[in-house]
Amino acid sequence: MYNDERGAWERDKHNPLHDLARQKLRSADVLLEQQCTAGVMDLLASALLMKLAALNNQAQAPAITDAAVWVYTEISPRGLLTPEQAAQVVQVVSFSLGSNLPELLVQQAANDVGQLFEQMA
């Protein structure tokens, strides 16, 4: 491959995690539209971590148990999130690890993730 072709290919390369993150967010939305909250928090946390990994030029998201440390040691210092956004990400990830989360908190987390996705676009 010639250098100029390789440069164009590198510029056009798209991280597939962006698409996977959007798909997971859409799946969470569909479940909520059907008034089913089971699995929604897992989808939301996964979508957020995939989106951030893609923005950080990574091939995969960190494990959910490593997410908070990763957000505060790698993502926030690079300026990919404001302190408030970092706190929202960690909150969603923390909620996803819990059980019997009230529907109101699930809905609020979904709204927060939707806003974060818009801000990260």
Side-chain angles (χ1 to χ4, degrees):
M1 184 177 290
Y2 298 106
N3 282 340
D4 57 341
E5 288 178 16
R6 196 166 122 238
W9 180 80
E10 289 293 330
R11 282 190 304 274
D12 294 338
K13 188 168 59 171
H14 177 73
N15 191 322
L17 290 181
H18 284 293
D19 295 330
L20 288 171
R22 268 193 306 276
Q23 290 170 3
K24 286 184 178 277
L25 183 57
R26 179 64 188 133
S27 295
D29 287 341
V30 167
L31 286 172
L32 286 174
E33 287 169 7
Q34 297 174 356
Q35 298 178 339
C36 177
T37 59
V40 169
M41 290 307 304
D42 291 335
L43 288 167
L44 293 173
S46 180
L48 262 181
L49 296 179
M50 285 181 173
K51 180 70 170 176
L52 288 170
L55 291 172
N56 200 36
N57 297 317
Q58 293 177 228
Q60 66 182 24
I64 196 95
T65 54
D66 298 327
V69 172
W70 176 72
V71 165
Y72 285 112
T73 61
E74 193 168 331
I75 300 301
S76 288
R78 290 199 59 217
L80 296 176
L81 292 175
T82 66
E84 294 81 16
Q85 291 169 327
Q88 283 182 307
V89 170
V90 171
Q91 182 179 43
V92 169
V93 169
S94 296
F95 284 172
S96 76
L97 296 171
S99 59
N100 299 321
L101 199 63
E103 187 174 336
L104 180 63
L105 287 179
V106 174
Q107 187 60 55
Q108 181 59 51
N111 292 340
D112 290 346
V113 173
Q115 290 174 353
L116 284 167
F117 264 60
E118 288 176 15
Q119 294 166 0
M120 289 188 270

